[in-house]
């Protein structure tokens, strides 16, 4: 009985002490404002992994997509995104893919907070795919919307959702399109 009473007293004392302390969480993000997205700055980063589902092929894919860009004016960056991926198709062989796509990204001033910004991004380029018995090169484009959450003044975590499309240059191959979701990061370099 003494052990239960002692344990209860320690538990109550711990709860009272914990509630009496003022806990300050560390501030990982400064007031971002517009400093990292000014003309002349660079962005480097990309999607650490992206997933998507194709409505036509009933397939699942995962990709790595590094990108780099330059701010040509405040809030507008242009750059290049490259990527590699794997697609598993139901009842077929796996598909290894690549892409090379110049992009433009616009950070919206509306809805900006001290630690984040919404953005829109469009890209046009080529994509290619290889299976065990064929290869293909395609025209591709993507329209995306996302949110950058700045964990420091120059590093942002991102979530991006969008529509991806590619049309084969070969007459016998089909077009591929679908929705995609990616999570990644960007590092903002510059002044």
């Amino acid at each position: 009985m003494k052990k239960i009473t002692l344990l209860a007293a320690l538990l109550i004392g711990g709860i009272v002490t914990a509630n009496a302390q003022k806990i300050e969480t560390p501030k990982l993000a400064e007031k971002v404002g517009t400093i990292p997205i000014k003309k002349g700055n660079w962005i480097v980063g990309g999607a650490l992994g992206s997933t998507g589902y194709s409505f036509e092929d009933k397939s699942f894919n995962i990709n790595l997509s590094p990108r780099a860009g330059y701010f040509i004016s405040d809030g507008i960056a242009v750059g290049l995104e490259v990527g590699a991926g794997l697609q598993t198709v139901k009842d077929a062989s796996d598909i290894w893919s690549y892409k090379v796509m110049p992009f433009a990204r616009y950070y919206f001033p509306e809805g900006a907070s001290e630690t984040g910004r919404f953005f829109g991004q469009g890209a046009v380029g080529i994509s290619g795919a290889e299976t065990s018995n064929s290869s293909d090169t395609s025209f591709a484009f993507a329209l995306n919307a996302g949110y950058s959450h700045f964990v420091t003044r120059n590093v942002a975590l991102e979530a991006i959702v969008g529509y991806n499309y590619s049309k084969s240059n070969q007459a016998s191959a089909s077009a591929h399109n679908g929705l995609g979701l990616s999570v990644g990061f960007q590092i903002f370099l510059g002044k």
Side-chain angles (χ1 to χ4, degrees), residues 16-149:
V16 169
T17 304
N19 286 335
Q21 295 176 5
K22 181 179 179 185
I23 298 174
E24 289 188 31
T25 57
K27 280 195 160 186
L28 295 177
E30 298 179 19
K31 293 182 178 181
V32 175
T34 59
I35 295 168
I37 55 175
K38 290 222 179 253
K39 179 180 179 179
N41 287 349
W42 289 84
I43 56 173
V44 178
L48 296 175
S50 68
T51 60
Y53 182 79
S54 174
F55 300 114
E56 295 172 352
D57 296 335
K58 295 183 182 175
S59 63
F60 177 77
N61 66 61
I62 185 162
N63 299 291
L64 297 175
S65 300
R67 73 176 67 91
Y70 179 76
F71 283 94
I72 58 173
S73 69
D74 291 355
I76 300 175
V78 295
L80 182 66
E81 179 176 350
V82 296
L86 171 65
Q87 182 179 23
T88 59
V89 181
K90 186 176 182 177
D91 301 326
S93 60
D94 293 342
I95 301 170
W96 293 92
S97 61
Y98 67 89
K99 67 179 176 179
V100 178
M101 300 178 74
F103 71 88
R105 179 181 280 198
Y106 176 70
Y107 285 88
F108 296 100
E110 301 84 12
S113 70
E114 294 178 351
T115 60
R117 282 278 175 105
F118 288 98
F119 64 86
Q121 179 175 310
V124 175
I126 61 167
S127 65
E130 293 200 18
T131 63
S132 58
N133 56 6
S134 69
S135 67
D136 183 29
T137 303
S138 307
F139 163 77
F141 77 86
L143 293 174
N144 298 301
Y147 182 76
S148 292
H149 175 74

Side-chain angles (χ1 to χ4, degrees), residues 5-19:
T5 306
L6 180 60
L7 183 59
L10 287 174
L11 183 61
I12 291 171
I15 292 171
V16 169
T17 304
N19 286 335

Side-chain angles (χ1 to χ4, degrees), residues 158-187:
E158 294 183 340
I160 302 170
V161 64
Y163 179 77
N164 302 297
Y165 177 84
S166 68
K167 181 171 177 161
S168 173
N169 292 328
Q170 297 178 7
S172 61
S174 62
H176 302 285
N177 58 59
L179 299 175
L181 172 69
S182 65
V183 178
F185 71 96
Q186 289 294 332
I187 299 171

